[in-house]
């Protein structure tokens, strides 16, 4: 039995290393690496017989409210059966695309969809809420080449680009299926991970919406030349792959970008100067291992959380060197598991909020060690 146990342990370690996984690391120091437990009661039941579809984005605003953009059109007839003619069952009705929750899971506000004076996105993807009270919405359907700007109540204010076919990765007036946005409040600039069609980061003035600058992989000028499929054994590609899926700005001015399909995070200065890159689960193909990032809310922003929708886990990364300090999550549909983990956000108390595509749900994970916020 002891020999069998030694063989099983050796086999598991070898299998994990052959796929590119790392063994559970030793904590940076006892008690300071964040750990979490799922809150299966969050959110509360939606009103009006509503149900949500695929989650296109999730963020936390300056008040600690959680904003979700979801995809009503992703619901199947069985899921929206109450809307059929005749109704197939008493449940359910698609919820509006934009939902705002408090920390306890109460729905505070809801809106979204086509309106007067603008064209709504074809498939919702990405949401950001800034401290001035503006909501930014993106999309990744074929013609979603714009970011839309709204008030907190859903009043349309303007947009960058337009709902039309993308042009190229160096067009400064049109986007290309953008994935996510981030606000630099000090400079009043909007950064966009652009995205599913284009291969760049692009920056605009958040008030005038005027173009400021853009860059591609390694801070170079982007291009749209056809790239070979991702191969973990091949030399790394100079260009971003598609999608450029997330962007986050740290308090020290570093900009973190998800090059999802190539299993890497690239780090830049705000002017586009390349700093470094980190790879995770390099043997992950297809959708890739780097879906989203969230900055830890301690004073030094010690950690980054990395949502991985291919392996359905969240990694806790040390921000100073990108090393993995911990992880949680597993593929599945039980509470605390993930079915295509797509988006993630963290509030000031260290609670983690996640959104899934296949699972069509949002979840909350409570911080279980307060020392991680010191």
């Amino acid at each position: 039995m002891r020999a069998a146990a030694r063989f099983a342990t050796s086999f598991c370690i070898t299998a994990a290393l052959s796929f590119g996984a790392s063994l559970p690391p030793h904590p940076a120091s006892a008690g300071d690496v964040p750990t979490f437990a799922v809150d299966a009661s969050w959110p509360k039941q939606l009103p009006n017989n509503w149900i949500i579809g695929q989650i296109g984005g999730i963020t936390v605003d300056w008040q600690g409210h959680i904003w979700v953009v979801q995809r009503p059109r992703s619901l199947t007839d069985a899921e929206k059966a109450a809307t059929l003619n005749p109704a197939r069952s008493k449940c359910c009705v698609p919820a509006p695309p934009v939902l705002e929750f408090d920390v306890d899971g109460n729905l505070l506000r809801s809106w979204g969809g086509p309106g007067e004076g603008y064209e709504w996105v074809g498939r919702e993807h990405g949401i950001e809420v800034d401290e001035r009270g503006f909501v930014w919405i993106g999309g990744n359907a074929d013609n979603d080449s714009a970011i839309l700007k709204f008030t907190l109540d859903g009043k349309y204010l303007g947009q960058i680009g337009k709902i039309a076919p993308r042009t190229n990765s160096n067009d400064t007036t049109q986007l290309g299926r953008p994935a996510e946005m981030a606000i630099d409040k000090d400079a009043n600039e909007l950064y966009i991970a652009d995205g599913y069609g284009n291969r760049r980061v692009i920056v605009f003035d958040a008030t005038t919406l005027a173009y400021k600058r853009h860059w591609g992989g390694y801070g170079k000028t982007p291009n749209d030349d056809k790239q070979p499929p991702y191969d973990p054994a091949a030399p790394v590609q100079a260009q971003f792959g598609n999608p450029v899926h997330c962007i986050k700005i740290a308090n020290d001015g570093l900009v973190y970008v998800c090059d999802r399909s190539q299993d890497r995070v690239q780090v830049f200065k705000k002017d586009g100067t390349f700093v470094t890159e980190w790879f995770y689960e390099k043997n992950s193909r297809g959708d890739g291992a780097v879906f989203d990032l969230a900055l830890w809310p301690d004073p030094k922003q010690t950690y980054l959380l990395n949502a991985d929708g291919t392996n359905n886990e969240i990694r806790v990364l040390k921000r100073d060197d990108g090393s993995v300090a911990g992880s949680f999550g597993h593929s599945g549909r039980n509470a605390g598991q993930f079915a295509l983990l797509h988006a993630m956000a963290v509030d000031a108390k260290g609670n983690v909020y996640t959104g899934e595509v296949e699972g069509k749900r949002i979840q909350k994970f409570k911080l279980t060690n307060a020392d991680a916020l010191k």
Side-chain angles (χ1 to χ4, degrees):
M1 293 178 63
R2 289 177 182 172
R6 285 196 298 270
F7 172 78
T9 300
S10 175
F11 175 82
C12 291
I13 291 173
T14 302
L17 292 177
S18 69
F19 187 73
S22 57
L23 295 177
H26 295 292
S29 59
D32 69 342
V33 176
T35 55
F36 305 91
V38 66
D39 179 356
S41 66
W42 194 96
K44 296 180 180 177
Q45 177 65 51
L46 293 173
N48 307 318
N49 208 17
W50 284 346
I51 188 173
I52 60 175
Q54 297 174 353
I55 305 303
I58 190 167
T59 191
V60 176
D61 70 14
W62 77 100
Q63 308 169 91
H65 294 172
I66 301 90
W67 290 76
V68 174
V69 63
Q70 60 95 22
R71 300 168 177 166
R73 288 164 289 189
S74 70
L75 292 166
T76 66
D77 282 352
E79 291 168 325
K80 58 182 181 182
T83 68
L84 304 181
N85 187 16
R88 186 180 299 175
S89 68
K90 66 180 183 180
C91 187
C92 291
V93 175
V98 179
L99 306 169
E100 177 191 4
F101 297 90
D102 67 17
V103 70
D104 295 319
N106 299 297
L107 181 67
L108 304 177
R109 222 177 325 220
S110 60
W111 49 268
E116 185 176 353
Y118 69 92
E119 188 175 355
W120 187 252
V121 295
R123 182 169 57 238
E124 296 82 358
H125 198 298
I127 184 168
E128 181 64 23
V129 182
D130 66 39
E131 294 187 13
R132 299 171 302 157
F134 299 130
V135 182
W136 306 83
I137 303 289
N140 73 333
D142 287 346
N143 285 344
D144 285 342
S145 301
I147 295 290
L148 308 181
K149 182 180 182 180
F150 298 89
T151 66
L152 296 177
D153 289 321
K155 179 183 177 182
Y156 173 72
L157 297 175
Q159 66 188 64
I160 298 169
K162 57 186 177 181
I163 305 298
R166 66 173 287 268
T167 53
N168 62 76
S169 290
N170 289 295
D171 187 336
T172 61
T173 64
Q174 182 77 327
L175 302 177
R177 304 172 66 199
E180 192 178 71
M181 301 74 69
I183 291 286
D184 179 356
K185 63 180 181 180
D186 294 331
N188 192 36
E189 291 181 335
L190 176 73
Y191 286 63
I192 301 172
D194 185 37
Y196 275 80
N198 291 337
R199 298 177 184 158
R200 65 180 177 182
V201 171
I202 189 166
V203 184
F204 294 87
D205 185 286
T207 299
T208 68
L209 308 185
Y211 165 80
K212 303 293 285 289
R213 59 193 176 277
H214 73 277
W215 66 85
Y218 296 102
K220 306 296 185 181
T221 301
N223 67 55
D224 297 307
D225 295 345
K226 184 175 176 59
Q227 295 184 172
Y230 171 71
D231 180 355
V236 297
Q237 296 185 18
Q239 292 289 328
F240 286 136
N242 294 116
V244 187
H245 202 252
C246 88
I247 189 161
K248 296 293 186 293
I249 307 170
N251 293 337
D252 59 12
L254 292 177
V255 179
Y256 297 85
V257 179
C258 296
D259 189 0
R260 195 181 87 179
S261 64
Q262 300 189 86
D263 300 333
R264 65 181 174 182
V265 174
Q266 288 203 335
V267 187
F268 302 90
K269 296 179 181 179
K270 290 182 181 180
D271 63 0
T273 301
F274 175 75
V275 176
T276 190
E277 66 182 0
W278 305 320
F279 291 86
Y280 300 98
E281 300 294 351
K282 285 189 67 174
N283 284 341
S284 298
R285 302 171 189 256
D287 288 336
V290 182
F291 275 62
D292 205 357
L293 297 169
L295 288 152
W296 192 241
D298 70 326
K300 295 182 179 179
Q301 296 182 311
T302 304
Y303 300 104
L304 276 170
L305 303 188
N306 165 211
D308 178 345
T310 291
N311 300 292
N312 283 312
E313 65 180 7
I314 294 176
R315 287 180 283 273
V316 181
L317 312 178
K318 294 167 64 177
R319 196 165 69 88
D320 58 356
D321 63 5
S323 62
V324 179
S327 65
F328 65 98
H330 192 275
S331 291
R333 291 179 171 81
N334 295 341
Q337 297 178 338
F338 303 116
L340 213 170
L341 172 62
H342 187 234
M344 172 184 59
V346 179
D347 69 17
K349 297 180 180 180
N351 299 307
V352 176
Y353 303 88
T354 61
E356 300 163 46
V357 170
E358 288 183 2
K360 297 180 180 177
R361 66 175 173 178
I362 51 178
Q363 296 191 81
K364 176 181 178 179
F365 295 81
K366 290 183 175 181
L367 179 66
T368 56
N369 59 330
D371 288 346
L373 287 177
K374 295 180 179 178

